[in-house]
Amino acid sequence: MSLAADEQGKVFDRMPEAVETGGYMPVMTPELIEEQKGIVWELLRQFGQAITQGRDLTAVSLPIQLFEPRSYLERLTDAWVYGPIFLTRAAETTDPVERMKNVITFAISGLSNTGYPKKPFNPILGETYQATWPDGTRILSEQSSHHPPVTSWQLFGPDNSYHFYGNGEWAASFSGNSISGGQKGTHYVEFKDGTVIEYDLPEVHVRGMIYGDRFFEYEGMMLVRDKKNDLQARIQFKTDLYFPKSGGWFSMRKKVPTDYFKGSITALSDPRKVYSVVEGSWVGAVEFDGKTYWDWKQSLEKAKPIPVDTPLPSDSRYREDLVHLAAGKKEEAGEWKYTLEQKQRADRALRAEGRELRRKQALAAEAKKLGITVEELEARKAANDPKSS
């Protein structure tokens, strides 16, 4: 479906935190805003222009004042708060289009619960998080890579009615007055009949990091696929739609807020076959063909994770920096954060040494088998000699 600028946008009622021109503005005290902007200026002093020209923020050690007492492994679940509603509905229906509608609603409605003024702790390699939802859904997540930072997760619905899983690499970089990034990776929802619906999320931008108001925006294309049932959806965030003119011939056309989205469910094999049109605002509502599936005014219950009683020793709740920050001990939290970061760097160096040692051992064994020296084998490989294979 083309989202041409001459299409007329529908008006959606949005949350009180919605910015007039688009996006979500978290509730922040003036003191918190000034504290965070002061930290950003300090980062600019340390790293210069490099930090405003796309430097990877996941590799930068940030001060403890920017953090909330949660790990990213737990923070992930904020976007899934409507899972017990929409994933359960998706599992209960046998209509492939209706199932995709509910998965899309689950993914988009949860974005309204992702705007927080502080960041979570970066998980340590091997760190885990285990919890359940009140409906019995089991939640498991683990940090499976340090550099790049990759988080893997699995959710098992009640009676295994659905299996929601995937892994995502979190990327964030400074660009001018904004932080841009998001979770790069595909989400999969598998059902008992073998249907697997996969989707990718749009990119997120945090505006007003140095000056102006602080708010969140999502931008780009969200792709959803169901290969078994030949379905796909393409949903554009931050569209080029306009509201209808409200005055006379000379009145100005007004663009819809940037949090609006629009797209369609079509046949995967033939996008010209349109089964449904989806539109709305990720801080307001999700509609399919004019029927509301989610509306912020519905006051739907947001599922809160319940930590398991006997988690693994690697569970994020045992992190010393997180524990101290939760207790209001910022200085101790900062010291532990530094200690854990140093430990991660040392562990990473040991893993690199181990990989190099195994490489050399493998070369030595191969060279011995060929009856040549390691130096000769390396020279062959460098020259891409077929005899080295």
Side-chain angles (χ1 to χ4, degrees):
M1 171 171 288
S2 173
L3 299 179
D6 60 352
E7 291 189 63
Q8 294 185 342
K10 182 178 179 178
V11 179
F12 293 96
D13 189 17
R14 302 180 298 146
M15 305 167 68
E17 297 85 356
V19 181
E20 181 180 359
T21 56
Y24 177 94
M25 185 182 297
V27 178
M28 300 177 67
T29 64
E31 293 77 17
L32 179 58
I33 294 173
E34 290 306 311
E35 178 186 54
Q36 291 192 358
K37 289 186 176 180
I39 292 171
V40 172
W41 279 114
E42 177 61 22
L43 291 173
L44 287 172
R45 187 188 68 79
Q46 289 183 37
F47 297 104
Q49 288 186 339
I51 201 167
T52 61
Q53 296 175 350
R55 181 183 176 116
D56 181 11
L57 290 180
T58 62
V60 176
S61 179
L62 299 173
I64 198 69
Q65 291 88 342
L66 289 177
F67 290 83
E68 64 167 325
R70 290 196 298 170
S71 167
Y72 179 67
L73 298 181
E74 180 180 356
R75 175 81 162 257
L76 261 179
T77 64
D78 290 353
W80 306 335
V81 292
Y82 297 119
I85 298 173
F86 297 113
L87 290 184
T88 299
R89 290 179 184 175
E92 291 173 345
T93 184
T94 57
D95 181 344
V97 174
E98 187 66 20
R99 176 173 283 172
M100 178 170 279
K101 289 179 181 179
N102 278 286
V103 171
I104 291 171
T105 304
F106 158 72
I108 295 179
S109 62
L111 298 180
S112 66
N113 198 51
T114 58
Y116 287 84
K118 292 196 172 186
K119 77 178 296 295
F121 284 100
N122 297 332
I124 298 168
L125 179 63
E127 182 179 324
T128 57
Y129 176 72
Q130 296 169 264
T132 62
W133 279 333
D135 70 346
T137 296
R138 290 176 293 146
I139 303 170
L140 310 166
S141 58
E142 179 179 355
Q143 192 69 4
S144 49
S145 174
H146 178 48
H147 275 297
V150 176
T151 301
S152 302
W153 69 86
Q154 294 193 82
L155 276 72
F156 298 91
D159 299 321
N160 292 318
S161 56
Y162 63 83
H163 180 201
F164 174 40
Y165 60 94
N167 59 74
E169 174 187 344
W170 175 254
S173 60
F174 226 120
S175 180
N177 189 36
S178 304
I179 290 179
S180 301
Q183 183 181 291
K184 299 179 180 178
T186 302
H187 303 62
Y188 301 88
V189 188
E190 185 173 354
F191 301 94
K192 286 185 174 181
D193 65 358
T195 296
V196 179
I197 297 178
E198 55 187 83
Y199 66 88
D200 303 300
L201 292 173
E203 189 174 67
V204 64
H205 301 271
V206 185
R207 313 291 189 189
M209 293 302 300
I210 302 175
Y211 55 86
D213 293 328
R214 178 79 53 81
F215 63 97
F216 293 77
E217 286 185 311
Y218 283 94
E219 180 178 353
M221 185 70 70
M222 176 180 176
L223 302 176
V224 189
R225 297 166 294 275
D226 174 358
K227 297 176 182 177
K228 177 184 176 183
N229 294 294
D230 191 37
L231 293 174
Q232 71 167 353
R234 295 175 61 86
I235 306 168
Q236 179 68 48
F237 284 70
K238 197 173 181 179
T239 69
D240 290 327
L241 301 179
Y242 289 82
F243 288 124
K245 288 185 179 181
S246 58
W249 286 102
F250 299 102
S251 62
M252 296 293 292
R253 300 177 70 199
K254 183 179 179 181
K255 289 194 69 171
V256 302
T258 58
D259 48 75
Y260 276 38
F261 61 83
K262 191 165 186 177
S264 59
I265 298 176
T266 70
L268 181 61
S269 58
D270 185 1
R272 294 172 298 178
K273 294 181 179 179
V274 179
Y275 301 119
S276 182
V277 173
V278 57
E279 60 184 333
S281 158
W282 61 267
V283 290
V286 177
E287 289 188 359
F288 289 91
D289 306 313
K291 179 182 177 181
T292 300
Y293 276 62
W294 170 75
D295 190 302
W296 75 273
K297 301 188 300 297
Q298 293 172 333
S299 300
L300 298 179
E301 183 177 357
K302 296 180 179 180
K304 294 182 179 180
I306 305 169
V308 300
D309 293 332
T310 55
L312 294 170
S314 54
D315 197 271
S316 61
R317 76 179 79 175
Y318 297 134
R319 287 183 55 152
E320 291 90 345
D321 49 3
L322 188 154
V323 171
H324 281 91
L325 185 60
K329 301 177 181 179
K330 287 188 178 180
E331 184 175 346
E332 292 88 340
E335 291 172 356
W336 269 108
K337 177 176 177 291
Y338 174 78
T339 299
L340 293 174
E341 288 173 346
Q342 292 299 104
K343 184 179 179 181
Q344 283 198 98
R345 293 188 182 98
D347 288 346
R348 186 185 182 193
L350 284 174
R351 289 193 298 274
E353 289 179 16
R355 286 192 295 270
E356 179 62 15
L357 178 61
R358 289 192 296 273
R359 187 189 72 84
K360 289 181 177 180
Q361 290 173 337
L363 277 175
E366 186 178 356
K368 183 178 180 180
K369 183 178 180 181
L370 295 172
I372 60 177
T373 66
V374 170
E375 290 75 16
E376 289 175 320
L377 178 59
E378 287 183 321
R380 285 187 183 182
K381 289 181 176 291
N384 197 24
D385 189 338
K387 293 179 182 180
S388 66
S389 57

